[in-house]
């Protein structure tokens, strides 16, 4: 008789045999026991986690002649026939090779006929996300209101590719990756039944490489048994899978911490001689340091056990690393993995990365963090003392003109935020420029700009359409021989147009259109009306002190005798 692969021999035949999916099997057993069956189910999750096996168990359970607490008996003729695949009413369809609308229409036409051998017709559609859009549309109505004797079970690894209309018509069950400990226990039972001796570390490596899929784990175990016979060791498993042992990584990490570049490169050379893949080597080293980081920050976290065996050697190497160095090591390895995909010299890049990891610890020794922190604190304390002295001088009435100017410069950003115009060049100086433009406005030039404004907008649009969108809210209101003022009704547009890049483009376009080199200023419409009124009535114009609140504040503090205002 031909040899049967382990993953086929140990395929689950009942819900209790499904490993690591208790949340799914319990719900299905309760539904079967209480007779609360749905017409459609959606099983989704990573490969090898039991989706198709659970679907076949479900098909047996709904048709079993002697069900036992929601489980199929696997003894009656119906259960045996479904297990053998000889029941025509239980169909397993691979959507990857039967993805067209014609295949789904054929299912839709046959669904109406009653089952011939069993109680329910069960359609198991594997990899259902591979169906075409037309096939999904053909399945939609049948999936929503199938005949009472039909059950659909859809299985997929990529549920996000399914239309929402399909998902909403199914009971959805999410299959999880199988935990490493559960997988190891199950593999041990299989090894005992097969009378094979396997080292615990080898089983942990099999479970780690399977990444939560039991089918992948059984395939790797089958391959290891074929290579080693009845005694499987970690050395054999490392040899056939191309991975590197944890002991080796512990040696590398110790050499990196001790900055032993020569020994480190020699160990890496031995790995390359054995034909290991540089990218896989870097990935495994990254996971090793990731486990070390978790071990140091959260030693009780269960997830640590799922990657690395925590032993005395690992704990001893972890004590050689501080958290800042670990962060830098993981970041350097991650960057190297990203660069490796585009590099034609993978080995050289890995060697350079290993040398860089050794240099990380050395550079940190040369520039201690505490020393840099102390220097920064000293500089901050010195600056605070200078500021305190200046504040005391101001409060005592001994402020000088230079001190007043420094106060004004310090508070300039607040003035810009409160100013009614844009932040890029706004403030008291910009307001003064707007007032000067209003007082010396050239009526003919203003009318020329108003008439050419649409042309100016069109030219700005050629440079960048977003800039034209910010300007379209404004309208020229005054122009002199030196500047032009544009009034806006929206504060956002007004503020945005005073940014240096946009302002420079507008000034160049205006110069090209009018032949005059004019500065561009934006102002809110209500502010412009106030400035225009003041310009038309010079006698009632407010004083400089009233126009600027900071000058008024300085006058209150030091008096007019000690304060000199300069433009």
């Amino acid at each position: 008789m031909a040899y049967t692969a382990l993953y086929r021999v140990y395929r689950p035949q009942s819900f209790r045999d499904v490993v690591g999916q208790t949340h799914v099997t319990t719900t299905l057993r309760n539904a079967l026991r209480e007779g609360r069956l749905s017409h459609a189910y959606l099983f989704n999750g990573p490969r090898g986690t039991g989706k198709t096996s659970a679907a076949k168990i479900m098909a047996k359970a709904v048709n079993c002649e002697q069900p036992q607490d929601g489980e199929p008996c696997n003894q009656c003729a119906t259960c045996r026939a479904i297990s053998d695949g000889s029941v025509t009413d239980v169909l397993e369809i691979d959507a990857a090779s039967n993805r067209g609308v014609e295949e789904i229409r054929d299912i839709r036409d046959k669904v109406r006929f009653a089952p011939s051998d069993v109680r329910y017709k069960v359609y198991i559609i594997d990899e259902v996300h591979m169906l075409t859009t037309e096939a999904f549309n053909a399945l939609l109505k049948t999936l929503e209101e199938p005949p009472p004797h039909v059950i659909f079970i859809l299985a997929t690894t990529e549920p996000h590719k399914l239309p929402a209309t399909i998902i909403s018509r199914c009971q959805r069950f999410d299959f999880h990756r199988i935990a490493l400990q559960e997988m190891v226990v199950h593999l041990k039972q299989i090894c005992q039944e097969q009378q094979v001796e396997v080292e615990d570390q080898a089983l942990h490596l099999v479970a780690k490489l399977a990444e939560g899929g039991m089918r992948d784990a059984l395939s790797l175990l089958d391959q290891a048994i074929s290579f080693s016979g009845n005694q499987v060791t970690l050395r054999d498993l490392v040899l056939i899978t191309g991975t590197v042992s944890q002991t080796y990584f512990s040696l590398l990490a110790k050499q990196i911490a001790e900055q032993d570049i020569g020994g480190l490169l020699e160990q890496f050379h031995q790995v390359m001689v054995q034909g290991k893949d540089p990218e896989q080597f870097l990935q495994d080293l990254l996971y090793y340091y990731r486990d070390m980081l978790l071990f140091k920050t959260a030693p009780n976290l269960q997830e640590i056990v799922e990657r690395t065996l925590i032993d005395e050697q690992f704990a001893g190497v972890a004590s050689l690393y501080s958290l800042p160095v670990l962060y830098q090591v993981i970041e350097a390895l991650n960057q190297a993995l990203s660069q490796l995909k585009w590099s034609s010299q993978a080995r050289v890049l890995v060697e350079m990365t290993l040398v860089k990891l050794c240099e990380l610890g050395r550079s940190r020794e040369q520039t201690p963090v505490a020393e840099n922190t102390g220097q920064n604190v000293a500089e901050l304390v010195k600056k605070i003392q200078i500021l305190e002295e200046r504040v005391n001088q101001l409060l005592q009435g001994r402020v000088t003109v230079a001190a007043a100017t420094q106060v004004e410069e310090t508070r300039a950003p607040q003035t810009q935020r409160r100013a009614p115009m844009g932040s890029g060049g706004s403030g008291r100086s910009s307001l003064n420029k707007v007032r000067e433009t209003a007082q010396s406005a050239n009526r003919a030039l203003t009318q020329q700009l108003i008439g050419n404004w649409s042309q100016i907008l069109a030219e700005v649009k050629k440079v960048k359409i977003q800039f034209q969108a910010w300007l379209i809210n404004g309208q020229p209101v005054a122009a002199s021989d030196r500047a032009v003022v544009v009034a806006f009704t929206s504060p956002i547009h007004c503020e945005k147009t005073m940014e240096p890049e946009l302002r420079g483009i507008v000034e160049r376009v205006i110069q090209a259109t009018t032949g005059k080199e004019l500065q561009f200023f934006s102002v809110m419409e209500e502010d412009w009306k106030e400035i225009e009124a003041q310009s038309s009535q010079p006698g009632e114009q407010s004083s400089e002190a009233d126009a600027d609140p900071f000058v008024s504040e300085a006058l209150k503090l030091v008096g007019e005798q000690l304060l000199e205002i300069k433009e």
Side-chain angles (χ1 to χ4, degrees):
M1 186 175 180
Y3 177 74
T4 306
L6 287 180
Y7 79 87
R8 294 180 60 193
V9 174
Y10 291 96
R11 189 166 196 166
Q13 299 299 321
S14 62
F15 287 123
R16 67 173 64 91
D17 296 334
V18 179
V19 180
Q21 311 298 339
T22 309
H23 62 290
V24 175
T25 56
T26 301
T27 305
L28 293 177
R29 287 179 61 187
N30 292 339
L32 288 163
R33 186 170 52 245
E34 299 172 7
R36 301 172 62 88
L37 295 178
S38 176
H39 63 281
Y41 295 89
L42 173 61
F43 294 168
N44 68 269
R47 68 179 189 276
T49 52
K51 300 185 295 297
T52 308
S53 299
K56 289 185 176 180
I57 296 170
M58 187 75 177
K60 289 191 292 184
V62 296
N63 291 308
C64 182
E65 299 172 7
Q66 299 173 348
Q68 302 172 0
D69 193 28
E71 293 272 16
C73 67
N74 288 317
Q75 301 296 328
C76 64
T78 301
C79 288
R80 291 199 301 270
I82 293 175
S83 297
D84 297 339
S86 58
V87 177
T88 57
D89 295 317
V90 176
L91 285 83
E92 183 177 357
I93 303 167
D94 180 20
S97 55
N98 300 277
R99 60 195 303 263
V101 66
E102 294 299 331
E103 289 85 351
I104 301 301
R105 283 176 180 169
D106 183 61
I107 294 175
R108 185 184 62 187
D109 295 338
K110 293 179 179 179
V111 155
R112 294 174 296 180
F113 300 107
S116 57
D117 299 326
V118 292
R119 190 183 312 152
Y120 287 97
K121 270 190 174 184
V122 181
Y123 288 89
I124 302 172
I125 305 179
D126 198 11
E127 300 298 336
V128 69
H129 65 273
M130 298 291 289
L131 292 179
T132 63
T133 304
E134 294 78 8
F136 276 126
N137 292 335
L139 180 64
L140 195 58
K141 189 63 178 177
T142 304
L143 195 64
E144 182 179 16
E145 297 177 358
H149 56 265
V150 174
I151 295 177
F152 283 95
I153 303 178
L154 313 180
T156 179
T157 56
E158 302 181 43
H160 57 277
K161 293 185 177 180
L162 270 64
T165 50
I166 294 290
I167 297 176
S168 64
R169 288 163 170 79
C170 304
Q171 280 193 13
R172 176 171 174 171
F173 291 88
D174 295 328
F175 284 68
H176 301 162
R177 294 186 184 275
I178 303 172
L180 185 138
Q181 292 300 328
E182 289 183 292
M183 193 177 295
V184 169
V185 170
H186 189 65
L187 291 176
K188 281 184 178 179
Q189 294 175 354
I190 293 175
C191 291
Q192 291 175 359
E193 293 179 11
Q194 294 290 319
Q195 298 181 353
V196 176
E197 296 182 5
V198 184
E199 294 180 356
D200 288 342
Q201 289 189 358
L203 285 179
H204 277 81
L205 181 58
V206 169
K208 184 182 87 169
L209 295 176
E211 295 184 348
M214 183 59 71
R215 183 173 63 239
D216 291 350
L218 290 175
S219 297
L220 282 173
L221 181 62
D222 207 352
Q223 183 180 357
I225 294 173
S226 300
F227 177 81
S228 305
N230 294 332
Q231 291 186 346
V232 180
T233 63
L234 177 63
R235 181 186 180 90
D236 296 336
L237 199 61
V238 167
L239 186 62
I240 64 175
T241 57
T243 57
V244 181
S245 65
Q246 179 180 325
T247 303
Y248 174 81
F249 282 125
S250 296
L251 177 60
L252 288 184
K254 184 178 180 182
Q255 291 174 332
I256 291 173
E258 295 173 350
Q259 301 172 10
D260 183 8
I261 298 178
L264 180 64
L265 294 179
E266 177 63 28
Q267 291 295 329
F268 176 68
H269 172 71
Q270 294 179 8
V271 171
M272 291 297 101
V273 169
Q274 297 174 9
K276 306 298 183 183
D277 180 32
E279 183 175 2
Q280 184 64 44
F281 170 82
L282 271 188
Q283 287 181 352
D284 293 341
L285 185 60
L286 176 62
Y287 275 117
Y288 180 86
Y289 277 108
R290 171 257 190 195
D291 293 337
M292 186 182 295
L293 177 64
L294 291 179
F295 173 73
K296 293 180 72 68
T297 55
N300 297 324
L301 195 63
Q302 182 65 25
E303 189 179 359
I304 298 173
V305 186
E306 296 192 5
R307 281 289 178 180
T308 304
L309 183 63
I310 307 300
D311 53 12
E312 294 182 1
Q313 184 184 28
F314 180 79
V317 174
S319 64
L320 301 176
Y321 286 85
S322 62
L323 288 180
V325 172
L326 273 179
Y327 297 147
Q328 291 186 344
V329 168
I330 292 174
E331 184 177 355
L333 289 173
N334 193 34
Q335 290 178 355
L337 276 171
S338 301
Q339 297 171 1
L340 201 61
K341 297 177 181 179
W342 313 105
S343 175
S344 58
Q345 300 293 333
R347 178 171 178 173
V348 175
L349 179 60
V350 176
E351 290 174 343
M352 182 183 69
T353 302
L354 294 176
V355 174
K356 188 187 297 184
L357 295 183
C358 292
E359 294 294 331
L360 287 177
R362 184 175 302 171
S363 62
R364 291 187 63 83
E365 290 177 1
Q366 294 174 356
T367 56
V369 176
E371 181 180 349
N372 293 339
T373 305
Q375 292 177 357
N376 294 337
V377 171
E379 292 177 0
L380 289 175
V381 170
K382 186 176 180 180
K383 291 180 180 179
I384 292 173
Q385 290 175 350
I386 293 173
L387 289 174
E388 288 178 347
E389 291 177 0
R390 291 178 178 174
V391 170
N392 290 332
Q393 291 176 3
L394 183 63
L395 293 176
Q396 294 171 7
R398 293 185 288 105
V399 66
T400 62
V401 175
T405 306
Q406 289 173 358
V407 171
E408 183 177 336
E409 291 177 353
T410 304
R411 301 182 62 173
Q414 299 180 3
T415 310
Q416 294 175 2
R417 287 195 293 270
R418 288 198 296 265
M421 304 194 320
S423 59
S426 62
R428 187 166 65 87
S429 60
S430 297
L431 281 172
N432 291 338
K433 293 290 185 181
V434 172
R435 292 191 184 96
E436 292 175 3
T437 305
Q439 292 171 3
S440 59
N442 186 327
R443 186 178 299 273
L445 183 57
T446 303
Q447 292 299 324
Q448 181 185 356
L449 280 169
I450 293 174
N452 295 335
W453 185 241
S454 58
Q455 180 183 352
I456 293 172
L457 292 177
E459 294 297 325
V460 172
K461 183 179 180 181
K462 293 179 182 179
V463 178
K464 196 170 186 180
I465 191 171
Q466 290 89 341
F467 289 168
Q468 188 249 7
W470 289 117
L471 282 170
I472 203 168
N473 181 258
Q475 183 69 25
V477 291
S480 66
D481 295 334
R482 300 175 60 184
V484 58
V485 178
V486 177
F488 290 85
T489 58
S490 168
I492 297 177
H493 289 74
C494 178
E495 190 173 327
K496 197 72 177 179
T497 52
M498 288 302 289
E499 291 184 354
E501 182 182 5
L502 181 102
R503 184 180 178 188
I505 291 173
V506 175
E507 289 175 350
R508 289 196 296 271
V509 171
I510 291 175
Q511 183 179 2
T513 305
T514 64
K516 295 181 179 295
E517 186 176 351
L518 303 176
Q519 284 186 291
F520 175 83
F521 295 101
S522 60
V523 67
M524 290 297 296
E525 190 173 293
E526 56 269 22
D527 295 328
W528 168 250
K529 291 179 179 178
E530 182 180 346
I531 292 172
E532 188 179 28
Q534 291 176 358
S535 300
S536 61
Q537 300 175 3
E540 298 178 6
Q541 196 173 36
S542 60
S543 65
E544 185 68 37
D546 295 332
D548 194 332
F550 299 114
V551 176
S552 302
E553 185 177 356
L555 283 171
K556 293 179 183 178
L557 289 172
V558 302
E560 296 181 358
Q561 294 80 8
L562 296 177
L563 184 64
E564 180 182 358
I565 301 175
K566 294 183 179 180
E567 286 293 332

